[in-house]
Amino acid sequence: MKKLIIKNIDGFNYLLEDNGKLYNINIEFYDIQEKPKINDSIFINEELLKEKILNFGSLNGKYGKSLDNISEKEIIVLNINNKNIYLKRYYG
């Protein structure tokens, strides 16, 4: 997993940075009480950085794959105020 720092947020458009490399990804978060802010971090599988639109929500959410069938690359970790929040990729 890569650790990316949130450099800018414009609606659902997140500018993420990893050692000088920038990624622009449209990300929508569901089922979390606090949304990520600038300088928070996201740990994400490198394969997902090729996507332009991503949705993530609770590990128990009904919109992603069941935990029995989910792959590690579909899990991200948000670090907000030094607290880790684990989310899975939502589809549809």
Side-chain angles (χ1 to χ4, degrees):
M1 291 188 122
K2 279 190 170 276
K3 178 182 180 180
L4 303 171
I5 304 298
I6 299 171
K7 291 298 184 181
N8 192 36
I9 303 170
D10 182 13
F12 296 113
N13 296 312
Y14 286 77
L15 180 63
L16 308 172
E17 190 257 339
D18 170 44
N19 294 322
K21 187 167 184 179
L22 298 174
Y23 301 90
N24 263 316
I25 304 175
N26 183 293
I27 307 174
E28 191 162 353
F29 295 99
Y30 299 91
D31 309 322
I32 59 175
Q33 300 207 352
E34 185 177 359
K35 299 293 184 193
K37 301 173 296 309
I38 293 173
N39 292 320
D40 286 339
S41 57
I42 298 175
F43 295 85
I44 189 168
N45 185 289
E46 196 167 352
E47 287 184 41
L48 291 179
L49 297 175
K50 299 173 187 171
E51 301 287 335
K52 295 297 178 197
I53 299 174
L54 293 168
N55 299 295
F56 295 98
S58 168
L59 291 177
N60 297 321
K62 64 182 180 178
Y63 297 107
K65 293 181 180 179
S66 73
L67 291 180
D68 296 333
N69 298 325
I70 200 165
S71 71
E72 188 175 303
K73 75 175 187 179
E74 295 172 294
I75 303 286
I76 67 164
V77 181
L78 285 178
N79 185 276
I80 300 174
N81 298 325
N82 293 318
K83 178 182 170 192
N84 287 334
I85 302 167
Y86 293 82
L87 301 170
K88 69 178 177 180
R89 186 173 182 187
Y90 276 7
Y91 294 92

